[in-house]
Amino acid sequence: AAKGAGRDRVHVFSPGLREAARWRLEVANRLRDGAVDEFVVHYQPLVRVDTGEIEGVEALLRWQHPERGLLTPDAFLSVAEETGQLIPITRWLLGETTRQAAEWAEQGLPLRMSVNISARHFSAETLVRDVRVALHDSGLAPENLVLELTETSVAEDPTRAEDQLAVLRNVGVRVAIDDFGTGWSSLAQLLALPIGTLKIDRSLLAAAARLAAGGTGPVLAAIVSLARTLGIRSVAEGVETAEHLQMVRDAGCDLAQGYLFAQPMPACDVMRWASRVRAA
Ligand code: C2E
Ligand code: CA
Ligand code: CA
Ligand code: CA
């Protein structure tokens, strides 16, 4: 135990952690000073497994930092959530993404738009209003907006989650459970909620791919088929290889998302990507 404590002490003063603490402080300061202007959205296609067609996109937050370049969420998301800044950022993002989806629809590319909602925002009074305002201002049909909620944010307080999901269902938006398989919530309990989609975390797919036949492949198939019985569609995340895609197809997933198809990209590239795939 003494040895363990000593090791911990070394860690506390390691330059890595000091650097990390300094970065968190810097992020918090910049967010407070209105860095919201520096955020951009990238979009990653969700592709139908049977036809290869694009059905929708997931909006992924990026920070165009003036000195450090384009940052992915791992660099700032937890700080933004802790400081309460993620809610106003997401409010902006809902406006931006619904406007973008409405514009694509007008240009002949109707895409379902998926937006990630944090646990804190999901349990906040303001979420329903934020969603309504974005739909109203953009004119996007509610069924074309999908809110992605993590397994843990609905499992934390199931009763409250049920109420909130019922309200969102009334608004007409769709709900997906994100990162499924990373928490330890009960599958039965999750699937009893009014959700439309289960997004299976890439760790599950990677595990299935690592093991030989008879590994977790059948588990994947069982989850997908159970979900389908309840009218819930499945999305496989992190499809990186042709082998992954074959597994996902064998398991019966409806949609796939991953680097095999496309990396997240700026809005201006989405139209070109979609028409290239259609032409192919
Ligand atoms: P997520 O919701 O699970 O999003 C998918 C993440 O996996 C994205 O990382 C995406 O770039 C990455 N990805 C996609 N395909 C592949 C693949 O084939 N292989 C691998 N290894 N990775 C792939 P990203 O953009 O860095 O986002 C990380 C996480 O940050 C997201 O995970 C989500 O939890 C969170 N996030 C992103 N944008 C937002 C946002 O606007 N609001 C909230 N609350 N969270 C967000
Ligand atoms: Ca997501
Ligand atoms: Ca996910
Ligand atoms: Ca994830």
Side-chain angles (χ1 to χ4, degrees):
K3 207 172 171 188
R7 225 182 277 140
D8 284 347
R9 217 162 20 242
V10 173
H11 274 297
V12 170
F13 295 106
S14 76
L17 281 187
R18 201 159 50 208
E19 192 47 36
R22 192 180 299 139
W23 172 246
R24 294 177 75 80
L25 196 65
E26 189 189 322
V27 169
N29 287 337
R30 286 196 70 93
L31 289 175
R32 202 195 43 224
D33 296 345
V36 176
D37 291 349
E38 295 165 2
F39 285 98
V40 293
V41 194
H42 279 192
Y43 299 90
Q44 189 181 34
L46 274 74
V47 170
R48 290 198 187 94
V49 172
D50 52 358
T51 63
E53 273 177 295
I54 183 171
E55 179 183 279
V57 289
E58 177 175 3
L60 294 159
L61 194 60
R62 300 286 181 263
W63 182 2
Q64 188 64 63
H65 192 283
E67 290 112 41
R68 300 190 189 239
L70 192 69
L71 303 176
T72 51
D74 56 316
F76 60 83
L77 203 72
S78 63
V79 182
E81 174 83 321
E82 280 160 27
T83 59
Q85 291 292 336
L86 191 54
I87 290 180
I89 293 169
T90 306
R91 198 173 286 137
W92 164 81
L93 184 114
L94 279 165
E96 178 71 16
T97 55
T98 51
R99 188 198 53 69
Q100 183 63 69
E103 187 182 314
W104 280 329
E106 222 165 79
Q107 294 168 353
L109 186 68
L111 294 177
R112 207 166 273 173
M113 178 63 71
S114 294
V115 175
N116 293 286
I117 302 295
S118 70
R120 199 155 163 180
H121 204 173
F122 179 62
S123 60
E125 288 296 326
T126 170
L127 178 66
V128 173
R129 187 173 0 123
D130 295 342
V131 167
R132 280 188 204 276
V133 167
L135 290 171
H136 175 267
D137 290 354
S138 64
L140 185 71
E143 63 267 24
N144 288 329
L145 180 62
V146 183
L147 305 182
E148 295 196 0
L149 309 170
T150 60
E151 200 181 333
T152 37
S153 60
V154 298
E156 248 166 40
D157 185 351
T159 317
R160 163 100 181 96
E162 253 184 276
D163 292 347
Q164 183 79 317
L165 290 172
V167 175
L168 290 169
R169 181 179 234 181
N170 269 335
V171 175
V173 296
R174 296 169 195 263
V175 169
I177 297 296
D178 203 0
D179 298 345
F180 174 75
T182 54
W184 292 96
S185 46
S186 144
L187 180 60
Q189 199 175 37
L190 264 186
L191 297 184
L193 294 169
I195 56 164
T197 310
L198 197 61
K199 295 193 79 175
I200 300 167
D201 194 72
R202 68 166 177 273
S203 57
L204 234 73
L205 183 62
R210 261 198 313 275
L211 299 161
T216 54
V219 173
L220 205 64
I223 292 168
V224 172
S225 110
L226 179 57
R228 171 159 310 140
T229 307
L230 298 164
I232 296 167
R233 303 207 302 162
S234 300
V235 183
E237 301 191 278
V239 176
E240 294 179 347
T241 64
E243 188 202 2
H244 285 167
L245 179 58
Q246 191 54 52
M247 294 190 53
V248 159
R249 194 173 275 135
D250 292 344
C253 287
D254 302 284
L255 298 169
Q257 181 180 355
Y259 297 160
L260 177 65
F261 306 103
Q263 301 259 345
M265 60 186 104
C268 57
D269 291 341
V270 170
M271 189 60 105
R272 200 177 334 135
W273 188 88
S275 48
R276 188 195 62 199
V277 171
R278 260 191 258 164

